[in-house]
Amino acid sequence: MAGLSAVLLKDLKLELRSGQSTIALVALSLLILVVLVFALGNEGVRGPEGAAGALWVALVFAGTVGATKALLAEGENGCLRGLVISPVDRATLFAAKMMAAAIFMAIAEIAAVALMVLFFNLEFDARLARIVPILALGIVGFAALATLLAAVSGRTRAADLLMPILAVPMFVPALIAGVKASAGVLAGRPLSGLQAWLGILVAFDIIFVVSGYLLFEQVARED
Amino acid sequence: MSQVPVRLRGLAKSYGLKPVLRSVELEIAPGGCVVIVGDNGCGKSTLLRTIAGLSRPSGGEALLFGEEAWRLAGPMRQRVGVLSHQSFLYPNLTARENLEFYGRLYGVPKVGAAAGRWLERMGLAAVSRARVGTFSRGMEQRLALARAMLAAPEVLVLDEPFSALDGEGTTLAVALIKEAVAQRTAVAMSTHGRPPLSGFEFKTLRLVAGVLKPAALDEAGREAVTGARTGLAGSVDGGTVGGFAQRPEA
Amino acid sequence: MKRALTTGLGASGSALLLAALGMVFLYVPTEATQGIVQRIFYFHVPCAWIAFVSFALVAICGIFYLWLDQQVWDDLGYAAAEVGMVFCTLVLITGSLWAKPIWGAWWTWDSRLTTTLILWLLYGGYLMLRAMSEDTAQVARYAAVVGIVAALDVPVIVVSVRLWRTIHPAVLVTRQGGHGLEDPRMVATLLVSIAAFTLFAAWLLMLRFATLRTRTRLNELARHLALNELSRRGEE
């Protein structure tokens, strides 16, 4: 536990100091939303479907960049090696890295939601509160997946290319469920009517958090 | 029931197709100090990485306290301090923050005070609030040394501890190693040339063609290999460290 | 012994494939609603079956590799991923060829086609990971982890894609009509075809596996030679 909080607090402190990842993530989310508005045309993206879709596109791509960066920061001066041979076990290391990635993604998503409301002419109302648990589930799942895969791709050639190639297809079920559930909520449906989608998100999160926790050991160590 | 801190048996390591270590035999008892010398690229760093558990042997065993180093359990790793050729320090944290962070990971009691003492000792007190990214290579090496020794480890693995250090820094590092040995820490270290150690007993071994051989250094710092030319070729057990108890207690 | 097995698989697979081909074009009656195109079904389904089995094999080999740490499991998993990828591609191509006359489009986001596409992307990523890195034990572990996690993801993909399509109703006719194999000759043809493809794929797998084993052994040999060279230098 002490190890978990030490690593997590260290990551947050580093981020507070430079603000690099978060600012980059917020900027990237903003750009993705703008690009989507241009790409799909002013009319094409109106309504909850378009808004929800744009939000999740931002989540996937901002998350990919964020998680890669979070692990690359450990690469400087071989810090990841220092962590791997420290008394903190590798599963705890996974938990800490995943939490840090989730926190950065959550900050970017808050900004993205605010921008989405403006760009897509939605209202700030109770519907936005209901989107929170859906996004939270998506962020946890993606953070777990991305942390595991960033460790996998981190030491290969073309790491930043490989990471989205591996992560995006794996994220498809959560993406489908997340977009559908977000669109439903934005259209005014209650969460209780979206149980099937929430179920998929929960199942996805459980699979990737548990497998990441168990398998991180295998990808963190070196030969 | 205390185990030998460091024991290598028939240790072999290859990277891809390239063999680096062939059959390394080494044992370091508590308070023993082994200095490994050898040409560039002969595998000193690989050997120390393997002892530290950063690298997995391709053959044979690398044991720390009787357990395989590469999968040493978390709490056991508290007893091992490692200085690699990478500093493991975060450039965006200050010197103090780096020490406190690693102190927390290693369960050092009263981490703030311990970090303060080490910064003082290493002559870094004045820059304790400066980011490590602004440090010179020598200052970083001093801090990395403090990081490795912070938790008073029972095994200390030091890869080129004197690199980038100035005269004062070297004296300091030697004093620290001497103290550690006096506190019965088992030390495995590598140096580029002649180790500037004095005032305590240590054993110099030469890593050549993937095995360790006893080496004596003459005054000029050239290595006069004693073992290889006197028929000790092959897999020499160079590991018994003079003067210290090597008996693995049953 | 292993060579005999490989040859046997190759010979029997080829013979059965010829038989299946004959049955598909000469023996089986034309399906009433879809007409002649439906015959592609006898290739499409076996390919899908092989792809799924191969990807399951990738995950199983991954588990064994991480557990037992023997190179043979990595070689088998790699071979299975390559064979699976070939057949997964065939599923997409035959599905597309079938879809055009029946549904009027080369591609539809039908739940099965979509799932297959995502599988194709997943294992494409697996193969890219392997192609983009050296073959070290570390990369083998990475690949094992990706193979396991991808397989765990498959059920969630299937459920989510199916749900996605039902809630978003398809404009096109579902394929249900085409699957009623009312004639026993259709069942027979399908079974022969599945058997033929299974033997054929097993043969491909063995060939690929043998190649990878040879590579592993060559590497061991090269390592051995380099080690001897190193010890010879040590004697000097």
Side-chain angles (χ1 to χ4, degrees):
Chain A
M1 262 306 101
L4 178 83
S5 65
V7 177
L8 184 58
L9 286 176
K10 184 265 303 169
D11 277 355
L12 296 181
K13 186 186 273 179
L14 275 175
E15 188 51 37
L16 271 179
R17 188 154 296 167
S18 68
Q20 274 174 355
S21 312
T22 317
I23 291 172
L25 289 192
V26 171
L28 193 62
S29 309
L30 164 70
L31 286 174
I32 289 168
L33 289 177
V34 172
V35 166
L36 280 176
V37 170
F38 284 137
L40 299 175
N42 214 3
E43 300 308 312
V45 289
R46 288 298 143 90
E49 288 272 342
L55 201 57
W56 282 77
V57 170
L59 184 138
V60 168
F61 287 100
T64 308
V65 175
T68 316
K69 264 193 71 87
L71 237 88
L72 285 185
E74 295 288 352
E76 276 185 289
N77 288 341
C79 288
L80 189 57
R81 296 201 176 105
L83 292 184
V84 165
I85 54 161
S86 79
V88 179
D89 70 271
R90 290 145 206 202
T92 308
L93 212 53
F94 170 78
K97 285 279 144 196
M98 190 201 102
M99 285 181 198
I103 290 171
F104 301 148
M105 282 177 71
I107 294 169
E109 274 308 294
I110 290 169
V113 167
L115 291 167
M116 174 194 75
V117 171
L118 296 175
F119 286 177
F120 292 82
N121 295 320
L122 303 174
E123 298 293 330
F124 286 99
D125 58 19
R127 285 177 300 178
L128 285 182
R130 268 180 262 144
I131 212 171
V132 170
I134 300 170
L135 281 178
L137 285 173
I139 286 171
V140 168
F142 196 85
L145 165 72
T147 303
L148 183 65
L149 292 179
V152 165
S153 55
R155 290 201 205 95
T156 58
R157 301 191 294 264
D160 32 1
L161 206 63
L162 203 51
M163 164 73 192
I165 287 175
L166 291 173
V168 174
M170 287 204 191
F171 193 62
V172 161
L175 183 64
I176 291 176
V179 170
K180 285 289 176 186
S182 306
V185 159
L186 288 176
R189 290 170 59 191
L191 276 176
S192 54
L194 301 162
Q195 270 163 3
W197 298 123
L198 293 174
I200 290 175
L201 281 171
V202 170
F204 183 88
D205 286 6
I206 292 173
I207 287 175
F208 279 93
V209 170
V210 171
S211 58
Y213 193 77
L214 295 177
L215 293 173
F216 195 69
E217 162 86 33
Q218 299 287 346
V219 294
R221 66 165 219 254
E222 286 176 88
D223 281 313
Chain B
M1 212 208 61
S2 78
Q3 286 278 2
V4 184
V6 179
R7 173 183 284 167
L8 310 180
R9 274 197 299 231
L11 176 67
K13 175 74 195 169
S14 38
Y15 283 108
L17 298 180
K18 189 174 170 278
V20 184
L21 305 176
R22 187 151 53 95
S23 178
V24 176
E25 306 282 336
L26 180 68
E27 219 168 85
I28 309 178
C33 175
V34 166
V35 181
I36 295 154
V37 296
D39 304 333
N40 282 336
C42 73
K44 293 185 299 264
S45 290
T46 302
L47 175 56
L48 291 175
R49 279 170 54 87
T50 314
I51 297 175
L54 272 166
S55 182
R56 185 184 163 183
S58 321
E61 287 179 318
L63 304 176
L64 290 176
F65 312 108
E67 285 185 36
E68 282 192 274
W70 67 275
R71 53 171 162 205
L72 202 60
M76 296 286 278
R77 286 200 288 263
Q78 273 176 2
R79 299 159 68 181
V80 185
V82 178
L83 173 74
S84 151
H85 60 99
Q86 289 172 307
S87 70
F88 299 166
L89 299 169
Y90 293 88
N92 273 329
L93 291 182
T94 67
R96 175 177 275 280
E97 285 167 342
N98 264 299
L99 284 190
E100 286 180 351
F101 171 61
Y102 279 102
R104 262 179 225 118
L105 293 192
Y106 280 83
V108 173
K110 298 205 187 77
V111 111
R117 271 201 312 280
W118 274 100
L119 288 165
E120 193 71 46
R121 181 84 205 263
M122 304 311 289
L124 295 170
V127 288
S128 68
R129 294 168 67 84
R131 287 187 203 184
V132 169
T134 65
F135 277 22
S136 72
R137 185 70 190 92
M139 288 156 81
E140 194 173 334
Q141 181 76 358
R142 286 186 187 206
L143 190 61
L145 207 54
R147 185 196 58 73
M149 303 181 80
L150 186 64
E154 292 165 57
V155 169
L156 198 50
V157 181
L158 307 171
D159 192 357
E160 306 261 0
F162 309 112
S163 82
L165 290 181
D166 53 15
E168 185 201 343
T170 305
T171 315
L172 193 59
V174 171
L176 287 172
I177 294 167
K178 196 174 156 186
E179 266 171 42
V181 167
Q183 284 158 13
R184 304 197 51 74
T185 297
V187 181
M189 57 184 279
S190 68
T191 60
H192 207 56
R194 182 183 155 76
L197 300 174
S198 60
F200 66 101
E201 201 165 353
F202 63 92
K203 171 127 181 166
T204 309
L205 298 172
R206 184 161 195 258
L207 185 61
V208 59
V211 291
L212 281 178
K213 297 178 175 183
L217 299 180
D218 60 25
E219 280 310 304
R222 286 193 312 269
E223 287 152 25
V225 180
T226 52
R229 295 210 183 101
T230 52
L232 272 168
S235 106
V236 172
D237 180 1
T240 31
V241 180
F244 296 103
Q246 279 95 43
R247 292 170 297 279
E249 284 160 41
Chain C
M1 167 41 206
K2 200 182 260 175
R3 177 163 301 168
L5 176 69
T6 312
T7 318
L9 279 174
S12 55
S14 310
L16 261 182
L17 264 185
L18 278 177
L21 210 60
M23 286 176 87
V24 168
F25 285 106
L26 303 172
Y27 167 75
V28 81
T30 305
E31 205 267 334
T33 46
Q34 298 191 16
I36 198 92
V37 226
Q38 186 267 345
R39 284 168 201 260
I40 206 169
F41 163 83
Y42 303 106
F43 293 138
H44 183 71
V45 170
C47 286
W49 148 256
I50 304 290
F52 271 94
V53 171
S54 303
F55 293 152
L57 195 56
V58 173
I60 292 167
C61 289
I63 292 170
F64 276 102
Y65 179 72
L66 294 184
W67 179 24
L68 301 172
D69 194 19
Q70 293 162 342
Q71 183 59 31
V72 58
W73 294 107
D74 181 51
D75 290 339
L76 188 58
Y78 197 174
E82 289 184 331
V83 171
M85 196 62 184
V86 169
F87 282 91
C88 199
T89 311
L90 285 176
V91 176
L92 290 177
I93 293 173
T94 51
S96 202
L97 290 175
W98 189 6
K100 181 64 181 170
I102 299 301
W103 294 337
W106 293 110
W107 183 262
T108 65
W109 293 96
D110 157 73
S111 72
R112 271 170 247 235
L113 273 183
T114 309
T115 305
T116 312
L117 175 67
I118 294 164
L119 279 187
W120 190 81
L121 290 170
L122 269 181
Y123 289 91
Y126 173 96
L127 290 176
M128 283 186 81
L129 165 67
R130 306 215 65 147
M132 280 181 176
S133 13
E134 329 291 328
D135 39 286
T136 59
Q138 188 161 11
V139 172
R141 277 204 310 276
Y142 290 170
V145 166
V146 171
I148 292 169
V149 174
L152 289 175
D153 203 19
V154 170
V156 200
I157 295 176
V158 171
V159 171
S160 66
V161 171
R162 192 168 294 161
L163 210 57
W164 182 55
R165 292 315 298 171
T166 42
I167 287 183
H168 205 294
V171 208
L172 301 149
V173 202
T174 57
R175 205 186 282 172
Q176 243 61 47
H179 275 200
L181 298 174
E182 55 281 338
D183 196 302
R185 282 175 295 176
M186 291 182 173
V187 180
T189 309
L190 180 64
L191 289 179
V192 170
S193 194
I194 287 179
F197 269 87
T198 308
L199 287 175
F200 183 65
W203 179 54
L204 285 182
L205 183 72
M206 289 304 287
L207 284 181
R208 203 47 206 136
F209 179 55
T211 313
L212 289 170
R213 287 310 292 159
T214 309
R215 187 187 66 165
T216 302
R217 238 168 265 135
L218 267 178
N219 282 346
E220 274 165 16
L221 220 60
R223 220 171 275 142
H224 197 71
L225 279 175
L227 203 63
N228 281 350
E229 169 67 24
L230 188 70
S231 56
R232 205 168 48 78
R233 266 202 292 133
E235 310 287 309
E236 280 167 11

